[in-house]
Amino acid sequence: CHELGPEGKIGNMLLGGLMYRVSCKPEDVFETLQENRSWQFFGDVQARGAYPGYMQRYFRDNGITRTITDADREALKTTVDFISFSYYMTGCVTADEALNQQARGNILSMVPNPHLASSEWGWQIEPLGLRTLLNVRWERYQKPLFIVENGLGAKDKVEADGSINDDYRISYLNDHLVQAREAIDDGVELMGFTSWGPIDLVSASKAELSKRYGFIYVDRHDDGTGTLARSKKQSYGWYKEVIASRGASLKA
């Protein structure tokens, strides 16, 4: 791609995971380090151009043998120009297996953070975590960042007059964008933000249309009924103004 378009910028798509330790016990601290590395690994290879030492050890400890040539190593040195990622929530990590068993089956099997509220589907909501993640990634890679997924899945109600008052979605996005702005003030180079998603679609995690993310409502339901007619939610006009004002309309 760089040869075809020398001025082009090539990026990636990563999970914006961020895990906190449950306690300051050394075992929890180290387990959290390992858990964060499980998603940082991909960015480390793509942005730094080599397999990190902790993954080399993982391969050895798990009997994984790879055939990699000098030409392969040289190819890896061609790194991405920017880091793009999704961000929806944070989670907690512990070395306590009893607590881990309790968390099995929830989204990503993470231990819930008792200090955070959750969506109807159990996704914990933490705008400040976005600012933290942006700072962590910027300090780790020193490459421009791009938030390419962020949004709130919720059940939207169509009122008798056809309006859809999704103020909960407005609040969610406002608070996350405010924290993104704070990260910029922290010195993070942030290329942009795109929400998930502009129009209602089938939820990838639940295969449901009732878990809606869009600014535009689609008249389609989990049982397959509906006309597919589109209508603007309250968040549509709000987000349009955020774009037009370049964030000046956000409420801190």
Side-chain angles (χ1 to χ4, degrees), residues 123-142:
W123 293 49
Q124 295 203 286
I125 300 170
E126 195 207 352
L128 183 57
L130 179 57
R131 178 183 179 183
T132 304
L133 177 63
L134 285 164
N135 275 275
V136 166
R137 283 224 154 121
W138 173 250
E139 291 172 4
R140 192 176 187 90
Y141 300 127
Q142 291 290 295

Side-chain angles (χ1 to χ4, degrees), residues 106-128:
N106 70 18
I107 186 69
L108 302 181
S109 295
M110 298 187 299
V111 176
N113 188 328
H115 304 289
L116 300 178
S118 299
S119 74
E120 296 175 75
W121 281 268
W123 293 49
Q124 295 203 286
I125 300 170
E126 195 207 352
L128 183 57

Side-chain angles (χ1 to χ4, degrees), residues 88-189:
Y88 292 98
M89 62 181 175
T90 57
C92 294
V93 177
T94 179
D96 185 331
E97 191 53 34
L99 284 177
N100 285 327
Q101 285 298 328
Q102 293 176 24
R104 295 286 185 264
N106 70 18
I107 186 69
L108 302 181
S109 295
M110 298 187 299
V111 176
N113 188 328
H115 304 289
L116 300 178
S118 299
S119 74
E120 296 175 75
W121 281 268
W123 293 49
Q124 295 203 286
I125 300 170
E126 195 207 352
L128 183 57
L130 179 57
R131 178 183 179 183
T132 304
L133 177 63
L134 285 164
N135 275 275
V136 166
R137 283 224 154 121
W138 173 250
E139 291 172 4
R140 192 176 187 90
Y141 300 127
Q142 291 290 295
K143 289 181 181 288
L145 305 177
F146 193 165
I147 305 163
V148 295
E149 274 191 45
N150 175 248
L152 176 68
K155 292 182 179 178
D156 297 326
K157 179 184 177 183
V158 181
E159 303 294 343
D161 63 358
S163 64
I164 302 161
N165 302 313
D166 58 338
D167 52 350
Y168 38 85
R169 183 170 292 108
I170 291 172
S171 176
Y172 177 98
L173 288 167
N174 178 89
D175 294 350
H176 282 76
L177 287 168
V178 165
Q179 292 302 325
R181 184 170 63 193
E182 290 293 326
I184 293 172
D185 288 343
D186 292 335
V188 173
E189 186 177 345

Side-chain angles (χ1 to χ4, degrees), residues 40-62:
Q40 289 170 332
F41 157 60
F42 303 99
D44 286 351
V45 175
Q46 295 170 8
R48 292 176 167 175
Y51 285 92
Y54 62 83
M55 283 305 296
Q56 300 283 12
R57 173 168 183 171
Y58 177 85
F59 294 145
R60 293 194 303 270
D61 289 351
N62 288 275

